[in-house]
Amino acid sequence: KAGVTQTPRYLIKTRGQQVTLSCSPISGHRSVSWYQQTPGQGLQFLFEYFSETQRNKGNFPGRFSGRQFSNSRSEMNVSTLELGDSALYLCASSLALGPAYEQYFGPGTRLTVT
Amino acid sequence: KQEVTQIPAALSVPEGENLVLNCSFTDSAIYNLQWFRQDPGKGLTSLLLIQSSQREQTSGRLNASLDKSSGRSTLYIAASQPGDSATYLCAVNTGGFKTIFGAGTRLFVKA
C-alpha cells in the first residue's frame, strides 16, 4: 500500500506570494492533518480534516488555510508569504478521526520564502 | 497548556550500547503517546504508539513505556546500530485531538 505523498517536495517563493501544497493520504485513510516544522519552533499542529470538514485548528494566522476533497486528498494554502513561513510542511493521515488512530506522515514539502 | 520535553537534546553512543530516551509531559490527561523517528530533511516514521490505558509497547529492539501519573515516557533502544542515528520525537495526543510534539533527541551511534 502506498504511503502518504506530498507534492511538491520543494518550493521557493517570494515574500507576498501565495502557495498551495498537496497531500494524498494512504488509501482508505479519511483523516488528514497538517504540521509546520521549523528549527526554532519544532513541530506545530496546523489543522486537521475529516470528511471534507476542518475538525481542529492550531494557533496560526488566517493566512494559513486548507481543504479536503471527497477522495480525502487535502491541500493547504498560505497567502501573503512571509520569511518566517519558511519551513518543512508535513502532512499525516490516519484511518479516522480520533486519538485511537495512528498517524502516518508523508515526506514533507520544504518551502523556502525569499 | 500541555508541554512536552525531551531529554537529552542530543546523545552520542558507541555501536552496541543500550540507551534510553526520555519524554515528559505536563498534563497527564492524554489519549495516547507516540514515538517517531525523523531522518534529516525527511518526514516522520512512526515507531510505537501507546494508548493511555497501556503501560508499554515493544517492536523489535525498541520498547516504549508510559507512566501517565508521573507524566513520563521512555524509549529504550537495545543494541544500538549506526542506522539508528536520527532524531527521535515523542508526541502526545490531548483533548481536541491535537498532537503536541517534543523538540526531539538527536541520536548519533558511532561505528
Side-chain angles (χ1 to χ4, degrees):
Chain A
K1 189 183 271 192
V4 178
T5 58
Q6 292 186 246
T7 56
R9 293 293 313 280
Y10 303 93
L11 264 179
I12 300 175
K13 289 286 188 179
T14 304
R15 269 182 304 175
Q17 288 186 315
Q18 75 164 21
V19 67
T20 299
L21 311 182
S22 180
C23 172
S24 293
I26 292 172
S27 178
H29 283 197
R30 297 174 60 197
S31 176
V32 173
S33 298
W34 287 89
Y35 297 85
Q36 181 196 64
Q37 186 176 33
T38 60
Q41 299 296 319
L43 261 161
Q44 292 185 289
F45 171 79
L46 278 158
F47 25 65
E48 179 175 26
Y49 287 87
F50 179 76
S51 292
E52 302 177 63
T53 302
Q54 187 180 94
R55 302 292 178 152
N56 208 356
K57 190 176 191 300
N59 296 322
F60 279 82
R63 300 185 297 107
F64 291 82
S65 63
R67 59 178 176 169
Q68 186 181 35
F69 302 96
S70 57
N71 61 358
S72 295
R73 190 177 70 85
S74 177
E75 289 180 347
M76 68 163 281
N77 185 77
V78 188
S79 63
T80 319
L81 283 166
E82 301 176 0
L83 293 179
D85 297 333
S86 295
L88 180 67
Y89 289 88
L90 293 164
C91 161
S93 76
S94 55
L95 267 174
L97 197 64
Y101 299 97
E102 192 168 351
Q103 294 188 78
Y104 296 85
F105 282 77
T109 293
R110 172 76 61 184
L111 172 64
T112 301
V113 182
T114 62
Chain B
K1 178 187 171 187
Q2 179 74 267
E3 292 183 0
V4 180
T5 303
Q6 290 188 245
I7 294 173
L11 180 64
S12 181
V13 300
E15 182 178 6
E17 190 162 301
N18 302 325
L19 59 102
V20 174
L21 307 181
N22 297 291
C23 172
S24 61
F25 45 95
T26 55
D27 186 347
S28 62
I30 65 170
Y31 286 92
N32 62 41
L33 183 144
Q34 198 165 354
W35 282 93
F36 295 89
R37 166 188 173 137
Q38 186 174 32
D39 293 286
K42 303 288 182 62
L44 277 62
T45 300
S46 177
L47 298 173
L48 291 163
L49 170 67
I50 312 176
Q51 299 292 349
S52 62
S53 59
Q54 298 174 318
R55 295 297 294 258
E56 67 177 340
Q57 283 286 340
T58 297
S59 176
R61 295 183 294 109
L62 305 179
N63 175 278
S65 68
L66 174 63
D67 184 343
K68 274 182 54 178
S69 60
S70 66
R72 292 180 184 177
S73 176
T74 62
L75 178 66
Y76 175 83
I77 302 177
S80 59
Q81 303 169 357
D84 294 331
S85 298
T87 297
Y88 290 80
L89 295 148
C90 77
V92 298
N93 195 305
T94 65
F97 310 117
K98 289 183 181 180
T99 301
I100 311 296
F101 283 83
T105 294
R106 193 179 303 180
L107 173 66
F108 299 95
V109 181
K110 299 170 288 187

